[in-house]
Amino acid sequence: MASPADGTPSTRREARAAAQRAHDAARVPAANVSPHAAGPATIVPLEDLFAADAGARARDERDRRDRRKSRTAAWLVFGAILALLGGLAAAGFQVWNTYEDDIRGFMGWEEPKDYDAGTATGDVTVTIVTGDTGSSISRTLFESGVTKTADAFYDYLISSAQDPTFLPGVYSLQQQMTSAAALDALLDPANKREDTAQLREGLTVEQSLRLLADGIGLPLGDLEAAVADPSAYGVPADSLEGWLFPATYTFDPEVTASQVIRTLVDRTRTSLDAAGVAVADRQQILTVASIIQREARLEDDFYKVSRVIGNRLADGMKLQMDSTAQFGFDELHDGTASSSAEALADQNPWNTYVVDGLPAGPISNPGDIAIDAAMHPADGNWLYFVTWNMDTGETIFSDTYAEHEKAIAQWDQWCAVNDNRGC
């Protein structure tokens, strides 16, 4: 049947179809409507657009804050971990420093006492003095850089059951030698330097003359005669004690005893002048320096001992230095730090346990450092000191006698567990 001319649906089916088409057209979103399509466009209010942008910005800002908080928390956690690790490391370092020897012994990590074979290098001279033993030579080798530890050479002699005879003199060795190689070198006559004498710091005139005789081959009697008159060398004193400067000397074979002594005395004057010692103060400075040389072991302690001497003199106290009592009683060479009761009570002008002020003169031949320390004592209020470790020379300085008693107890403890070695 034909449709009406005005387009009106002629049947119910056509009417339903037309209605469905109209309904579908109404459901098409405005964004999908072509700009050229017929019918009105959907309009969004301007304030809604701004509201949408503000919401997006708020969300972005929250996201940024959350990310910052996360980063801050992460850094805080990282810092806490570092602090914890640092604390553990510091504690471990303290434990290691305090108990290193015990830990090494327990774990079997002991440091070798000797250098490895084949590592010897350079040249060094070592002096053996009349009366030296394996123990004292062991320390001399260590202090000269020949052996790795102070007791390596002595332990080697004991473990290898050797008791060699050591001849006094100056020997050419190398640094970083094994104890076995050092022993071979000391027993080899080819290594003994015939025209050289090495005088170490702290020796007396008597010890120095024996070394000179052994080193350069001059008769000991000639050298003893050469020092009998100090005025021959311009020294206004009764003795040349303190004036035979410690150093290594090489002389021509035809040198005379008086020429040797003059060389040593002139070297002392050079050191005194370099330290700025006035001519009138030379004997006094040498006296103070000679005590420092015998009492101190470590370089910094030289200047502290000098201050103790100055403080005690300023306070009107007796010096009470064991080295002076031992020198005056001829007990200086027994190898121990302690003085006998007889030496401490003996009435002689060098015993500072019984005399006031400085001793009558020097008690040994001081070196450059001791002379400098006598001129430039460290700052401090110390009145007492005690070397509590006879192997390392570590010394405790105290302002009061109560503190000094504690230091003495520490020294007593060290001596008790080390067979009174050097005590």
Side-chain angles (χ1 to χ4, degrees):
M1 179 174 64
S3 300
D6 58 2
T8 304
S10 59
T11 69
R12 283 178 295 188
R13 178 180 294 176
E14 290 177 350
R16 285 196 302 272
Q20 183 64 45
R21 285 194 298 273
H23 176 73
D24 292 343
R27 292 178 60 189
V28 176
N32 291 336
V33 176
S34 169
H36 304 294
T42 302
I43 300 175
V44 179
L46 185 61
E47 58 271 19
D48 289 349
L49 291 176
F50 283 111
D53 289 344
R57 287 195 297 273
R59 286 192 299 274
D60 290 343
E61 182 61 29
R62 282 197 301 272
D63 290 343
R64 284 193 292 272
R65 285 199 301 270
D66 290 343
R67 287 193 295 271
R68 284 197 297 270
K69 290 179 180 178
S70 296
R71 286 195 298 270
T72 301
W75 279 111
L76 289 174
V77 172
F78 182 65
I81 293 173
L82 286 181
L84 178 61
L85 292 176
L88 291 174
F93 184 73
Q94 179 65 29
V95 170
W96 178 261
N97 276 347
T98 304
Y99 302 106
E100 178 181 357
D101 292 340
D102 295 331
I103 294 172
R104 287 187 180 278
F106 179 76
M107 299 299 293
W109 296 343
E110 293 96 334
E111 283 283 337
K113 288 187 174 183
D114 230 336
Y115 287 115
D116 293 331
T119 61
T121 182
D123 296 309
V124 64
T125 57
V126 173
T127 300
I128 294 180
V129 184
T130 301
D132 265 343
T133 63
S135 178
S136 59
I137 293 173
S138 184
R139 173 165 293 282
T140 299
L141 291 172
F142 167 66
E143 292 175 348
S144 300
V146 176
T147 52
K148 189 173 186 178
T149 57
D151 53 0
F153 184 77
Y154 183 68
D155 287 350
Y156 172 73
L157 293 179
I158 298 299
S159 63
S160 59
Q162 298 190 66
D163 186 19
T165 299
F166 296 103
L167 298 177
V170 178
Y171 293 82
S172 297
L173 277 74
Q174 290 183 287
Q175 294 182 323
Q176 300 185 13
M177 299 178 74
T178 65
S179 295
L183 177 61
D184 290 340
L186 290 175
L187 298 180
D188 185 353
N191 291 319
K192 191 171 184 291
R193 300 174 62 172
E194 295 298 336
D195 298 328
T196 299
Q198 185 180 47
L199 308 182
R200 65 176 182 269
E201 292 86 351
L203 297 177
T204 62
V205 167
E206 179 186 352
Q207 292 172 312
S208 299
L209 295 185
R210 289 203 304 265
L211 275 178
L212 288 168
D214 291 337
I216 61 180
L218 283 173
L220 179 59
D222 290 357
L223 291 166
E224 289 173 339
V227 300
D229 182 12
S231 65
Y233 310 99
V235 175
D238 296 332
S239 167
L240 283 180
E241 201 70 66
W243 284 90
L244 304 185
F245 194 83
T248 299
Y249 299 92
T250 300
F251 298 99
D252 294 332
E254 62 274 8
V255 70
T256 65
S258 59
Q259 289 173 331
V260 169
I261 300 305
R262 183 172 298 280
T263 297
L264 273 59
V265 172
D266 288 346
R267 176 63 182 82
T268 297
R269 286 197 179 92
T270 298
S271 182
L272 292 169
D273 291 342
V277 181
V279 172
D281 297 334
R282 284 175 174 172
Q283 189 71 3
Q284 178 177 325
I285 292 299
L286 284 177
T287 300
V288 174
S290 70
I291 299 173
I292 295 170
Q293 189 71 68
R294 293 293 304 189
E295 295 283 351
R297 293 272 297 278
L298 306 179
E299 183 172 330
D300 287 347
D301 291 346
F302 277 56
Y303 298 86
K304 293 181 180 179
V305 170
S306 180
R307 173 52 63 193
V308 171
I309 293 172
N311 287 344
R312 292 180 75 93
L313 291 175
D315 286 357
M317 301 173 65
K318 284 184 168 61
L319 286 185
Q320 295 185 326
M321 299 288 172
D322 281 80
S323 56
T324 66
Q326 292 170 359
F327 177 85
F329 197 67
D330 198 22
E331 195 177 75
L332 196 61
H333 316 316
D334 69 350
T336 64
S338 301
S339 304
S340 66
E342 293 80 8
L344 295 178
D346 191 65
Q347 298 290 327
N348 68 75
W350 284 272
N351 184 6
T352 57
Y353 277 84
V354 298
V355 301
D356 295 326
L358 292 171
I363 62 170
S364 70
N365 297 317
D368 283 320
I369 296 175
I371 292 173
D372 186 67
M375 290 290 291
H376 307 100
D379 293 329
N381 298 316
W382 311 293
L383 291 171
Y384 310 91
F385 65 89
V386 59
T387 300
W388 70 271
N389 188 319
M390 306 309 294
D391 283 347
T392 64
E394 293 173 84
T395 300
I396 299 174
F397 291 81
S398 305
D399 296 356
T400 67
Y401 189 70
E403 294 172 347
H404 184 52
E405 285 184 312
K406 294 179 181 178
I408 292 175
Q410 186 171 337
W411 173 56
D412 287 338
Q413 182 180 8
W414 186 95
C415 293
V417 300
N418 288 277
D419 300 323
N420 288 310
R421 183 170 62 248
C423 298

